[in-house]
Amino acid sequence: MQSRTPAPRATGRPRSAAADAAILAATRAALVELGWSRLTLSDVAFRAGVAKTTLYRRWAGKNELVVDAVAELFDELELPDRGSLAADVEGVVLQFAAILDRPEARSGLMGAVAEAARDDVLRERIRASIVERQKRLVVEGRARAQERGELPYEEDPRTAARTVDLIFDLVAGAVVHRALVSSEPVDADWAVSLTQVLLLGIAGAAQNPAGSV
Amino acid sequence: MQSRTPAPRATGRPRSAAADAAILAATRAALVELGWSRLTLSDVAFRAGVAKTTLYRRWAGKNELVVDAVAELFDELELPDRGSLAADVEGVVLQFAAILDRPEARSGLMGAVAEAARDDVLRERIRASIVERQKRLVVEGRARAQERGELPYEEDPRTAARTVDLIFDLVAGAVVHRALVSSEPVDADWAVSLTQVLLLGIAGAAQNPAGSV
DNA sequence: CGCTTTCGCTACGGGTCGTAGCGTAACTGT
DNA sequence: ACAGTTACGCTACGACCCGTAGCGAAAGCG
């Protein structure tokens, strides 16, 4: 979320926090109207009502700016206790899908990931500000399921971390792939089917025909 | 794979098939060296040894060109019979990961998906030439597992198609997300863990500690 | 009230875009 | 063999955006 200022100096004129918010909002608006490739920093600066040079003082370039602008979208993800692991998974899947339905998330997220293929610093920035922000939901839901007795406890913290990572990539990856690559809708039915496979496995899900409507 | 020529005319000078191959190869080379954003059509034309105008005669723009260039990468995916559903899944996951390890696939695929957020035609092109090309592997592996008795047959073709789509998005999405978003390695251990969750579900995989090494 | 940093503004060279125009090359049908 | 048709290579063009530099003014701190 932080622009890239290493340390806020104690002296001199402070940076306008309002400008930061305006710039990030303008970036999202530009993503909606123009998409990734046509988005220009000149345009963002105009929309935000700041000078173009101010933008370059805070962000190294388009990639970093968009990552920060998109990362904020995932702040609205929550995980209310819906009573069961299955219900929790279905809920978060639909929430996540709603975010990915917004054009600023689609083009911004994928554009940033594309650029990260050749930029180690950007890749780490994505991992820190987007991936970690979402992964907390898995940790939370998992702990809750363990309290309910729906999932076993894992003693070794390394094994536990690996499980969390796996579940996260499975769920988030499936939703992203379905919505953005396969271009098919993530609706309630699909969320139910996904959850069944996740909890029971492929064969188990086929026996229980709840996903077939 | 086809450029965009609606119908090959019977008269006049035919288009050079060699030029097509050279252009697509040059596109991949440019993706490796420059990435998505710095790739220019002028550069691709120079690498391929053709005039820039030739490029614009065959493809509408960068997006379409890259989709075609990247789609060819997935032709090398195969599904040899490894004896069990689990082994088949693990094998294809590692194959898929090997492709996604190549920089031309990383930046090209994600860049195209990013642009597809605001381009219906491009989205359909991705679906047709990349998604469908991969989905055949799921259909094949599934049929094989049904013959082995590892998976139940589904009579309703609509239900069956939905299952295939779900499994495809789960596996492909998980691999893509792990490799490109989470930026963590897709190795044999992870492939085993993924397969276990897919076949047995989360709880079932935790009981069988094969993925913990 | 000096010191420091940010901000808005203007201007600049450099690069890419996508297209137009022309002469030439390649292939087809009569 | 010849006319018809299409693809190709080449050059040139205006338009746009990039990222930076330089300036005076504004906003905090001691």
Side-chain angles (χ1 to χ4, degrees):
Chain A
M1 193 190 315
Q2 197 59 303
S3 307
R4 75 181 184 104
T5 330
R9 315 178 193 10
T11 174
R13 175 176 176 175
R15 286 192 172 168
S16 160
D20 253 70
I23 290 170
L24 292 175
T27 303
R28 287 187 288 268
L31 277 174
V32 172
E33 290 185 24
L34 306 171
W36 171 274
S37 63
R38 301 192 178 186
L39 179 144
T40 74
L41 292 201
S42 312
D43 187 78
V44 170
F46 177 76
R47 287 172 193 262
V50 302
K52 189 171 59 163
T53 44
T54 297
L55 253 164
Y56 280 101
R57 283 193 195 96
R58 306 190 183 197
W59 283 276
K62 179 157 99 169
N63 297 343
E64 291 78 8
L65 173 61
V66 172
V67 169
D68 288 1
V70 170
E72 286 188 344
L73 293 175
F74 297 101
D75 280 336
E76 60 189 60
L77 281 174
E78 292 177 3
L79 192 61
D81 193 333
R82 290 183 168 85
S84 72
L85 175 56
D88 281 0
V89 172
E90 289 165 20
V92 79
V93 161
L94 292 179
Q95 260 191 84
F96 191 43
I99 293 179
L100 289 182
D101 218 31
R102 299 162 67 174
E104 63 268 35
R106 299 172 92 100
S107 55
L109 184 62
M110 291 297 104
V113 170
E115 291 306 310
R118 300 195 43 76
D119 186 336
D120 296 336
V121 178
L122 184 65
R123 195 156 56 232
E124 174 55 27
R125 193 191 193 96
I126 292 175
R127 222 190 49 74
S129 52
I130 296 184
V131 172
E132 291 302 325
R133 199 171 300 210
Q134 297 173 350
K135 206 179 284 179
R136 65 182 162 84
L137 297 178
V138 178
V139 175
E140 198 177 328
R142 182 177 138 85
R144 209 177 276 162
Q146 287 172 330
E147 291 173 12
R148 294 195 199 98
E150 295 172 305
L151 284 182
Y153 287 92
E154 286 172 312
E155 301 139 22
D156 183 14
R158 303 179 64 92
T159 313
R162 231 174 297 184
T163 302
V164 168
D165 288 352
L166 175 61
I167 295 176
F168 171 62
D169 283 323
L170 259 171
V171 175
V175 176
V176 169
H177 200 275
R178 167 111 177 156
L180 303 188
V181 182
S182 297
S183 301
E184 289 177 43
V186 177
D187 51 24
D189 284 351
W190 187 82
V192 170
S193 303
L194 168 65
T195 304
Q196 285 215 349
V197 171
L198 200 68
L199 299 189
L200 306 176
I202 296 180
Q207 290 171 351
N208 192 341
S212 316
V213 179
Chain B
M1 195 190 312
Q2 197 58 302
S3 308
R4 73 181 185 107
T5 330
R9 313 175 194 13
T11 174
R13 174 176 177 176
R15 287 192 171 169
S16 161
D20 255 69
I23 290 170
L24 292 175
T27 303
R28 287 188 287 269
L31 277 175
V32 172
E33 291 185 24
L34 305 172
W36 170 272
S37 63
R38 301 194 178 185
L39 178 144
T40 75
L41 293 200
S42 311
D43 187 78
V44 170
F46 177 76
R47 287 171 193 262
V50 301
K52 189 172 58 164
T53 46
T54 297
L55 254 163
Y56 280 101
R57 283 193 194 95
R58 304 189 183 198
W59 283 276
K62 179 157 99 170
N63 297 343
E64 292 76 8
L65 173 61
V66 171
V67 169
D68 288 2
V70 170
E72 287 188 343
L73 292 176
F74 298 101
D75 280 337
E76 61 189 59
L77 281 174
E78 291 177 3
L79 192 60
D81 191 335
R82 292 183 166 85
S84 72
L85 174 56
D88 282 359
V89 172
E90 289 166 19
V92 79
V93 161
L94 292 178
Q95 260 191 81
F96 191 44
I99 293 179
L100 288 183
D101 218 31
R102 298 162 67 175
E104 64 268 36
R106 298 173 94 99
S107 56
L109 183 62
M110 291 297 104
V113 170
E115 291 306 308
R118 301 194 43 75
D119 186 336
D120 296 336
V121 178
L122 184 64
R123 196 157 55 233
E124 174 56 26
R125 194 189 192 97
I126 292 175
R127 222 191 47 74
S129 51
I130 296 185
V131 172
E132 290 303 324
R133 198 171 299 209
Q134 298 173 350
K135 206 180 285 182
R136 64 181 162 84
L137 297 177
V138 178
V139 175
E140 198 178 328
R142 183 178 136 86
R144 209 178 275 162
Q146 287 173 330
E147 291 174 12
R148 292 195 199 99
E150 295 173 303
L151 285 182
Y153 288 93
E154 285 173 312
E155 300 139 21
D156 183 14
R158 302 179 65 93
T159 313
R162 230 173 299 182
T163 303
V164 168
D165 288 352
L166 175 61
I167 296 175
F168 170 62
D169 283 324
L170 259 171
V171 176
V175 176
V176 169
H177 200 274
R178 166 115 177 152
L180 303 188
V181 182
S182 297
S183 302
E184 289 177 43
V186 176
D187 51 25
D189 285 349
W190 187 82
V192 170
S193 303
L194 167 65
T195 304
Q196 287 214 349
V197 171
L198 200 68
L199 300 189
L200 306 176
I202 296 180
Q207 289 172 352
N208 192 340
S212 316
V213 179

